[in-house]
Amino acid sequence: MSCTSSSPSAVSLTRNAVSRFRRVTNRGFTLVELLVVIAIIGVLVGLLLPAVQAAREAARRIDCQNRMRQIVLAAHNYESAAKRFPGYAGEYAPLAVDVGSSPVRLDKHGVPWMVQVMPFMEQQQLSNNLGRICDTVTGANPVQASDYQFIEAVVPQFYCPSRRDAKSYPLVTPFTDKFGPYGARTDYAMNGGSALSVDPNNAGVSMEKAGVWQVGFRTAMKEITDGTSNSFFLGEKNMNPLRYKTGTDYGDRTPVAGFPEYFGASNSYVRYIARGPESDRPNSCRACHDFGSAHPTGWNSVMTDGSVKIVNYNADINILKALASIAGAETASLDD
């Protein structure tokens, strides 16, 4: 008898075991199990998404701060060359801002502060062309279509990535009549000083103490007697979030090229501290006078010494007004 032979019953048992094994191993997920797995994945994604969005916003905010710091460093280089900070270029005072007896010098014709700092931001050629356009095409006279490229030319440092892409946006009348359909913008504004708002729901404000940007002349370093670390230089400007890209926000209608002969041109790049800080919101009367931002907790500012500060939306208005003035004999700090 062979030692390898098997009985019929043993073979049958082996075949039954293999068959049962195959049935067990071929069994797939049930519908309930699949739904449970999908639900778990959905919950995990829901928990992770806010963290991802927060991380992205944090990165955008840091990028925004770095861009603003570059602008202020360029302004310091401008000051080293010109002995005054960039600023007034013959513009009218911002609309609905009572600047008192500050002299409006319509004889002083030039480009706004954004163009003034361009040579110190590796944008010498663009600055030259915008200066040429300003000098040769005065008043409401239209520029040549061949110059539209300079009106639309974007300087990325002038945009906050949390708010909108760095590109040109539509213009509205009377800017379309002079500059064509599109123009580059800035999300940042120079500090015009502290102001008084009699009615918080009214757009108009009255200036109390001067800031770095002043009607009539450009500010010298020696005139900032409160100290450069205690004086705002630049901040994010308040805007209507429904109008970031439409060109219809009264505080954003002027292209970077400027339009000194037009009433309200400076509303697009000068802001004041008159009311408590707030984030960008629709239909706000503050959009053409106050600082603000698209960030959830506060707006970025840069002091005149180049240090970056975050202004929380619950910040004390008296401290902010003290920081807005350059010669008010205050020593307030956001760290207080």
Side-chain angles (χ1 to χ4, degrees):
M1 176 181 290
S2 172
C3 63
T4 59
S5 64
S6 300
S7 67
S9 60
V11 172
S12 177
L13 288 173
T14 301
R15 288 175 178 172
N16 290 337
V18 171
S19 177
R20 285 197 301 272
F21 176 76
R22 286 175 177 172
R23 285 199 299 271
V24 171
T25 55
N26 289 338
R27 179 178 176 270
F29 289 108
T30 66
L31 179 59
V32 173
E33 290 172 333
L34 287 173
L35 291 176
V36 169
V37 171
I38 292 172
I40 293 173
I41 294 174
V43 171
L44 292 175
V45 171
L47 293 174
L48 182 62
L49 189 58
V52 172
Q53 292 175 333
R56 288 179 176 175
E57 165 56 19
R60 288 192 293 263
R61 167 164 241 156
I62 292 174
D63 190 5
C64 179
Q65 294 172 349
N66 289 335
R67 295 181 186 197
M68 296 176 70
R69 186 184 290 108
Q70 290 179 51
I71 295 172
V72 176
L73 291 177
H76 273 271
N77 289 331
Y78 178 97
E79 190 274 337
S80 295
K83 306 308 178 186
R84 289 184 178 273
F85 283 106
Y88 184 73
E91 302 101 326
Y92 289 96
L95 283 177
V97 176
D98 181 1
V99 296
S101 59
S102 298
V104 175
R105 294 180 53 190
L106 300 182
D107 62 311
K108 185 176 177 59
H109 183 79
V111 291
W113 68 262
M114 302 86 72
V115 182
Q116 295 170 29
V117 300
M118 282 183 186
F120 305 95
M121 299 175 66
E122 300 181 349
Q123 296 290 341
Q124 180 71 62
Q125 193 61 40
L126 178 58
S127 176
N128 291 344
N129 279 294
L130 292 177
R132 170 184 58 79
I133 293 170
C134 181
D135 290 338
T136 59
V137 186
T138 58
N141 297 314
V143 306
Q144 297 293 322
S146 58
D147 283 334
Y148 287 176
Q149 59 179 313
F150 305 118
I151 306 301
E152 298 175 14
V154 166
V155 178
Q157 290 91 334
F158 291 154
Y159 291 84
C160 174
S162 291
R163 177 176 281 162
R164 54 186 173 181
D165 295 331
K167 65 180 184 179
S168 60
Y169 290 95
L171 295 174
V172 296
T173 302
F175 301 98
T176 50
D177 301 331
K178 182 177 177 66
F179 295 117
Y182 294 93
R185 299 295 208 282
T186 176
D187 284 331
Y188 308 124
M190 278 188 70
N191 165 38
S194 62
L196 176 67
S197 174
V198 177
D199 181 359
N201 296 315
N202 189 332
V205 299
S206 298
M207 196 176 79
E208 293 179 308
K209 298 178 181 178
V212 182
W213 193 94
Q214 302 184 61
V215 174
F217 56 91
R218 297 176 190 171
T219 302
M221 180 71 79
K222 64 182 180 181
E223 293 166 343
I224 306 178
T225 56
D226 287 346
T228 56
S229 62
N230 298 315
S231 302
F232 286 135
F233 187 92
L234 194 72
E236 295 181 85
K237 65 184 188 182
N238 195 291
M239 282 184 64
N240 181 340
L242 302 180
R243 298 181 177 182
Y244 285 162
K245 302 177 182 180
T246 65
T248 57
D249 191 309
Y250 274 91
D252 190 55
R253 299 197 304 164
T254 310
V256 167
F259 194 172
E261 302 90 348
Y262 178 72
F263 285 96
S266 56
N267 287 79
S268 294
Y269 47 84
V270 178
R271 290 292 191 272
Y272 297 83
I273 296 291
R275 294 161 282 220
E278 68 172 22
S279 61
D280 291 353
R281 63 182 178 88
N283 306 317
S284 171
C285 66
R286 305 182 181 190
C288 58
H289 295 116
D290 296 37
F291 293 98
S293 80
H295 305 300
T297 58
W299 50 274
N300 291 319
S301 66
V302 186
M303 311 309 287
T304 307
D305 67 350
S307 59
V308 176
K309 302 288 184 180
I310 298 176
V311 181
N312 294 322
Y313 295 130
N314 60 357
D316 188 299
I317 184 62
N318 294 315
I319 291 178
L320 298 184
K321 283 191 174 187
L323 295 172
S325 69
I326 60 172
E330 308 104 336
T331 57
S333 169
L334 286 174
D335 300 324
D336 293 343

